[in-house]
Amino acid sequence: MSEPTSPLPEDLFSLLAAAGPDAVALVETGTVLDPVTWEDAPVPVVGETGLARMSAGEGVSVLQVCSGWREALLKWLELDDAEGQLALVSTGEGPLEHTPGELAARVLQDSASGDAELVEAVGHWLARRFGPRLQSPEAGWAAAAAAWTCHMRALAELPLPAVLSVARDHVGDDSPATGELIVRTSVKLTVLIDRMNAPYRTRVDLVADWRTLQPLAATVPALRAGADWLLDQIALRDAPAQQLRAVLEPDISDHQRDRRAAGGLHTSGPALDAARTALLAQARHTVRSYTAAFYSGRTEEAELLRNAFPAPARSIEASDQAQAWRQASLTARHALDAVAARRAAAAAEDDMAYFADPERLHAESAYLTAWQGRLDLVHDALGRLAAPVPLPHDVPGDLREIALQMPARRLADAFGTHKRALTALEGQISYLQQEPTPAHRRKATPSELALLTAVRDTVDPHLPAGESLKAGLDGDVIRRRVEQIMAATAAPTGGQVPPPSALHGQDLNLQQSAARDVQP
């Protein structure tokens, strides 16, 4: 066995190829969230980290390079701690990720008389998954059955009798109901995982699945991505959640257009800037926090979070300043075109979703209405900064000072805070400065950069460093509130999931309401 290797080299394929044809790497990965893909996020592969489909990045390291399937499997069983998720990666045409069950099936198939050491190791692993921290044997064995279903399904649908015997002896459990509980949990989870791939699901069904998966995901890391994906799918069918999303997300229409021009590939074209990536991730986590709180029965916490960031009222007609900005800014025009295109797609009666998923269409309409209002606010504020309105000579001095501060206040109203506005502007500038410039915007990019840079430089003098306006979109406040809500995600016990009409009213009136203060 080789010595542990860290951090992960840039080319995992080269590392495996150099170690020999039978080499298997045990790779530790952090949570990977692509905040750009929301609507089209694929169903996560349960039991895999997805490392083989990702490029190496920060937070990823090789723990061990093993020679052969058996050695790799035994090491995985030893290192798996029910806290993170370890990937088993080998090489073929490229890096290939395997589940432990695949390796166990290969090892036992190659062994003529069985493998007592492997059975013992798997049994001890299952016993550890029983979890000494769990409050009851029922909950412990349910977590162990869930871990088996995620990682060992390729070996067998249920724990092998010899494996289960080792695990029960290690735990000291002689209850006859254990086997029945493991079977029931495994079958329920298997059906749920298969159901996640259904093309159309109602919000009520998704909520029921999330409430089933969430308690198990707390002790089985391989299920966490699936639980988060279900939360995102629920939010996509929840109008208030989509309104919250519209308030918190920055405009990335420039990046989306570049990706479409590059054929929609994630790895083609410029990478989204770090500033707006962070804002997108914050929005994603906040919407998840709201959704988890609401569908866990903690509606007061959810409404507090939602009302802290009210959706803007949509302008009947964009202001002259917004119109002027859209004439000058290519990105602003593309953002407006993107809204119109999504509205047209949502209303296209030849799309099956028009009939099959009305909840999602309703939530999409709520999102686009709030997003249109947000763009009106942002473009009005940027237009006023780019072309300040001249003041009459007879305006009193105190009113003149107020008028001079208005553009910066409108910017803070549009983005939430002065600091957040500057973060978004600097991120957009950084994105456009990447080389090489995509061919489809090569001519327009210099003028767009000059326009955004001029506005950013105009913003700085209006509010000195450290000064802030009383507004709701403060990053630290959002982070603290999300942490408070996500600390308690237990689903309510018993009862039926209420129908959609009872979960939220169908009112799409987005008139701005008074925000309640968020208590950090």
Side-chain angles (χ1 to χ4, degrees):
M1 183 179 296
S2 66
E3 293 299 319
T5 305
S6 182
L8 181 69
E10 293 183 2
D11 193 343
L12 179 58
F13 176 77
S14 298
L15 174 67
L16 290 167
D22 296 328
V24 181
L26 275 77
V27 182
E28 186 176 40
T29 67
T31 301
V32 178
L33 174 66
D34 181 4
V36 178
T37 57
W38 185 306
E39 289 87 357
D40 58 348
V43 180
V45 180
V46 178
E48 291 185 16
T49 64
L51 176 69
R53 298 181 294 277
M54 300 183 295
S55 58
E58 294 183 3
V60 179
S61 60
V62 173
L63 298 183
Q64 198 84 44
V65 177
C66 303
S67 57
W69 305 114
R70 187 177 186 279
E71 184 178 301
L73 175 60
L74 290 173
K75 196 63 181 178
W76 185 91
L77 292 168
E78 175 189 338
L79 294 178
D80 180 54
D81 58 3
E83 295 295 336
Q85 191 172 355
L86 297 178
L88 288 161
V89 183
S90 70
T91 183
E93 296 299 323
L96 302 172
E97 183 174 357
H98 308 274
T99 65
E102 290 178 53
L103 303 194
R106 294 191 188 206
V107 171
L108 292 178
Q109 183 178 9
D110 294 340
S111 176
S113 58
D115 193 319
E117 182 184 6
L118 179 59
V119 169
E120 186 76 13
V122 175
H124 279 266
W125 168 81
L126 191 65
R128 291 204 312 274
R129 286 298 194 147
F130 175 87
R133 297 163 298 173
L134 296 170
Q135 297 178 353
S136 68
E138 291 78 11
W141 282 119
W148 182 276
T149 303
C150 289
H151 297 291
M152 297 294 177
R153 259 177 91 184
L155 173 63
E157 289 290 335
L158 300 172
L160 303 173
V163 170
L164 186 56
S165 176
V166 171
R168 292 178 65 178
D169 288 345
H170 189 72
V171 172
D173 180 5
D174 57 359
S175 171
T178 297
E180 180 184 348
L181 173 65
I182 290 176
V183 170
R184 186 169 64 249
T185 302
S186 299
V187 169
K188 178 190 292 187
L189 188 56
T190 298
V191 171
L192 187 154
I193 291 171
D194 292 339
R195 198 163 57 227
M196 286 169 64
N197 290 280
Y200 298 110
R201 303 287 307 286
T202 67
R203 179 172 37 156
V204 171
D205 291 338
L206 291 165
V207 170
D209 287 348
W210 176 74
R211 287 179 174 175
T212 299
L213 200 59
Q214 177 62 22
L216 297 174
T219 55
V220 183
L223 289 174
R224 291 171 191 167
D228 287 342
W229 181 86
L230 284 169
L231 270 184
D232 290 344
Q233 295 302 307
I234 295 167
L236 286 170
R237 291 156 178 80
D238 184 290
Q242 290 305 296
Q243 293 168 5
L244 178 62
R245 173 190 170 193
V247 172
L248 295 173
E249 281 187 338
D251 179 22
I252 59 166
S253 54
D254 50 354
H255 177 61
Q256 291 170 328
R257 186 167 183 265
D258 288 348
R259 276 178 54 177
R260 286 194 299 271
L265 298 177
H266 294 259
T267 56
S268 300
L272 185 63
D273 52 277
R276 288 185 296 171
T277 296
L279 293 179
L280 278 176
Q282 184 187 70
R284 185 80 162 270
H285 286 302
T286 305
V287 172
R288 282 181 181 173
S289 174
Y290 163 81
T291 307
F294 188 89
Y295 292 98
S296 294
R298 294 176 285 114
T299 55
E300 185 175 349
E301 293 182 22
E303 291 305 309
L304 177 62
L305 183 60
R306 175 192 169 195
N307 291 333
F309 310 108
R314 181 182 179 184
S315 302
I316 298 176
E317 183 177 353
S319 66
D320 292 340
Q321 288 76 16
Q323 296 282 17
W325 177 260
R326 288 165 183 168
Q327 288 297 320
S329 170
L330 181 66
T331 300
R333 295 199 298 275
H334 288 158
L336 211 60
D337 292 343
V339 173
R342 286 183 63 168
R343 284 190 185 280
E349 296 188 17
D350 59 344
D351 189 341
M352 284 301 297
Y354 185 87
F355 302 99
D357 208 343
E359 290 179 322
R360 182 158 178 173
L361 290 175
H362 170 68
E364 171 83 349
S365 176
Y367 171 78
L368 293 176
T369 301
W371 185 244
Q372 175 73 62
R374 173 84 185 284
L375 288 178
D376 288 342
L377 286 175
V378 170
H379 294 167
D380 176 81
L382 295 176
R384 291 177 185 275
L385 287 170
V389 177
L391 296 177
H393 295 293
D394 56 350
V395 174
D398 55 344
L399 293 182
R400 179 177 293 275
E401 182 63 26
I402 292 174
L404 290 175
Q405 295 291 332
M406 276 297 179
R409 293 184 180 276
R410 284 185 175 270
L411 192 70
D413 184 41
F415 285 91
T417 62
H418 177 255
K419 177 182 177 181
R420 194 178 180 90
L422 286 175
T423 298
L425 285 172
E426 289 169 354
Q428 194 171 356
I429 291 169
S430 174
Y431 175 79
L432 293 174
Q433 287 174 334
Q434 294 181 77
E435 295 290 346
T437 304
H440 68 93
R441 60 171 171 85
R442 194 165 292 153
K443 293 181 179 179
T445 296
S447 59
E448 183 78 9
L449 272 171
L451 182 66
L452 290 171
T453 303
V455 169
R456 181 202 57 190
D457 294 343
T458 302
V459 173
D460 283 341
H462 286 289
L463 286 178
E467 184 178 346
S468 63
L469 297 174
K470 186 177 178 57
L473 294 184
D474 182 84
D476 292 335
V477 172
I478 295 175
R479 177 182 53 77
R480 288 195 296 270
R481 188 59 186 155
V482 168
E483 288 174 351
Q484 290 171 1
I485 291 180
M486 292 302 284
T489 56
T493 56
Q496 299 296 318
V497 181
S501 59
L503 293 175
H504 281 303
Q506 300 301 310
D507 183 12
L508 276 180
N509 180 6
L510 301 181
Q511 297 297 321
Q512 186 172 7
S513 60
R516 288 185 245 170
D517 290 335
V518 177
Q519 299 299 325

